[in-house]
């Protein structure tokens, strides 16, 4: 569907003076989307036509469209059937922003664990009030799949299902802000796990998940929060042992030795190593 069969003024578009930058173009398009003048699935006119409508150069128009793409509002497709399309609600901007913070070194493992515990607590309490039987079944299926992958020794898939559990739990709140926040936090978690590499085998995660499911089925929010907090705290301790280069069994709160200094920023990514493709993480 192409919503630009009307005149520019019908969408509230005003020509941009040469002194103004691409953010104003993006702002007008963003406003048209928020006001419902542009809806999910709508295709914008070609870049050349949009530039004429706004009274700006094609370069400025291109920058505005790219900014909206990064914000998760538009999808830019190439080819004869391509163009700029309005997307439905997306958490891409939140996820991308948190990923950028991670790579800039602004997020420490402590920040991550604190946020996970706080957000998970809010998610659990709201999910216990709102989740449906379908939501519960989806959570149970994910735990069952994680158990199957654990038994098969497929630790990468096990980790993927463990991480998906948190997103499904956030979906059960039926609150898009909590869902977007959780997806952003889980993206940082994936990057951190990827960077730090495998931790020691964690035998507590699946039993903890099963206890958590039982509490969720009973809508016992406080017990569910306590279970999740305990599991995330154990996970953090395992991460810190690995991050600080300390041997297993040494508390992660122990002073960092000169031979194993704590990283000042999250590592950018693990170096490939033969025979260590499996990531053993509870996530």
């Amino acid at each position: 569907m192409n919503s630009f069969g009307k005149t520019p003024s019908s969408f509230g578009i005003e020509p941009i003076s040469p002194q103004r930058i691409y953010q104003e173009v993006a702002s007008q398009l963003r406003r048209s989307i928020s006001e419902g003048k542009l809806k999910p699935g709508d295709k914008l006119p070609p870049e050349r036509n949009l530039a004429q409508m706004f009274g700006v150069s094609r370069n400025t128009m291109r920058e505005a469209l790219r900014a909206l793409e990064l914000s998760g509002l538009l999808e830019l497709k190439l080819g004869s059937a391509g163009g700029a399309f309005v997307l439905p609600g997306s958490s891409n901007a939140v996820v991308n922003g948190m990923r950028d913070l991670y790579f800039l070194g602004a997020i420490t493992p402590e920040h991550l664990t604190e946020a996970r515990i706080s957000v998970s607590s809010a998610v659990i309490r709201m999910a216990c009030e709102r989740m449906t039987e379908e939501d519960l079944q989806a959570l149970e299926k994910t735990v069952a799949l994680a158990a199957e992958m654990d038994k098969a020794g497929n630790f990468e898939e096990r980790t993927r299902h463990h991480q998906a559990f948190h997103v499904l739990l956030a979906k059960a709140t039926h609150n898009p802000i909590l869902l977007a926040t959780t997806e952003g936090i889980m993206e940082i978690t994936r990057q951190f796990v990827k960077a730090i590499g495998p931790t020691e085998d964690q035998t507590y995660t699946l039993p903890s998940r099963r206890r958590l499911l039982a509490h969720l089925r009973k809508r016992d929010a406080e017990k569910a929060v306590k279970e999740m907090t305990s599991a995330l705290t154990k996970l953090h301790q395992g991460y810190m042992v690995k991050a600080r280069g300390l041997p297993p069994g040494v508390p992660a709160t122990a002073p960092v030795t000169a031979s194993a200094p704590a990283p000042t920023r999250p590592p950018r990514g693990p170096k490939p190593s033969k025979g260590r493709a499996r990531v053993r993480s509870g996530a």
Side-chain angles (χ1 to χ4, degrees):
M1 172 183 176
N2 188 334
S3 290
F4 275 80
K6 303 177 183 179
T7 62
S9 60
S10 65
F11 291 98
I13 293 175
E14 302 171 3
I16 307 298
S17 65
Q19 290 76 24
R20 303 182 74 177
I21 54 179
Y22 73 94
Q23 284 95 334
E24 177 59 27
V25 178
S27 178
Q28 284 200 38
L29 285 172
R30 186 180 283 110
R31 186 164 58 248
S32 293
I33 293 171
S34 67
E35 293 174 354
K37 296 172 182 176
L38 287 168
K39 298 179 174 60
D42 285 355
K43 180 180 179 181
L44 275 62
E47 181 184 286
R48 181 197 301 263
N49 294 8
L50 280 172
Q52 292 175 348
M53 294 167 70
F54 280 100
V56 298
S57 69
R58 292 187 65 178
N59 284 339
T60 298
M61 194 68 238
R62 190 174 298 120
E63 286 186 80
L65 294 177
R66 285 175 178 169
L68 292 174
E69 181 184 34
L70 290 173
S71 298
L73 294 176
L74 294 181
E75 179 182 13
L76 304 182
K77 297 181 180 179
L78 300 176
S80 57
F85 296 84
V86 180
L87 287 173
S90 170
S91 61
N92 288 347
V94 174
V95 173
N96 290 337
M98 288 194 181
R99 185 190 296 118
D100 289 343
L101 284 174
Y102 169 83
F103 283 116
L104 287 170
I107 297 176
T108 67
E110 289 82 5
H111 294 151
L112 177 59
T113 299
E114 287 174 355
R116 291 189 71 180
I117 289 174
S118 297
V119 174
S120 292
S121 297
V123 163
I124 286 170
R125 289 189 173 95
M126 191 173 292
C128 282
E129 296 176 358
R130 300 181 179 182
M131 61 187 170
T132 65
E133 178 61 27
E134 290 75 17
D135 293 328
L136 279 166
Q137 289 178 3
L139 289 166
E140 289 169 344
K141 181 178 179 181
T142 300
V143 173
L145 289 171
E148 289 179 13
M149 294 300 100
D150 182 64
K151 186 176 181 179
N154 190 334
F155 298 104
E156 291 172 348
E157 281 298 298
R158 184 191 71 176
T159 297
R160 186 175 69 81
H161 289 301
H162 279 323
Q163 292 172 346
F165 180 90
H166 295 277
V167 176
L168 287 172
L169 187 57
K171 284 183 178 178
T173 67
H174 302 278
N175 182 308
I177 297 177
L178 283 176
L179 175 57
T181 303
T182 299
E183 288 179 330
I185 289 174
M186 292 314 300
E187 174 59 24
I188 297 172
T189 301
R190 279 188 286 272
Q191 295 295 336
F192 185 69
V193 170
K194 180 181 177 182
I196 201 172
T199 59
E200 292 300 304
D201 286 351
Q202 295 159 357
T203 58
Y204 60 83
T205 304
L206 280 169
S208 176
R209 284 284 194 273
R210 294 185 178 108
R211 290 192 296 270
L212 179 59
L213 283 173
H215 297 322
L216 291 173
R217 275 221 163 265
K218 294 178 182 178
R219 313 273 173 167
D220 191 330
E222 295 313 309
K223 286 185 178 180
V225 166
K226 185 177 180 180
E227 185 63 49
M228 177 68 84
T229 300
S230 175
L232 290 176
T233 301
K234 288 178 182 178
L235 188 65
H236 174 76
Q237 292 295 318
Y239 282 158
M240 292 309 296
V241 166
K242 187 66 183 292
R244 294 186 175 206
L246 299 174
V250 177
T253 54
V256 181
T257 63
S259 60
T264 57
R265 59 188 296 173
R268 296 300 179 93
K271 294 181 179 179
S273 58
K274 296 180 180 179
R276 294 191 67 185
R278 293 175 175 175
V279 176
R280 304 188 178 195
S281 169

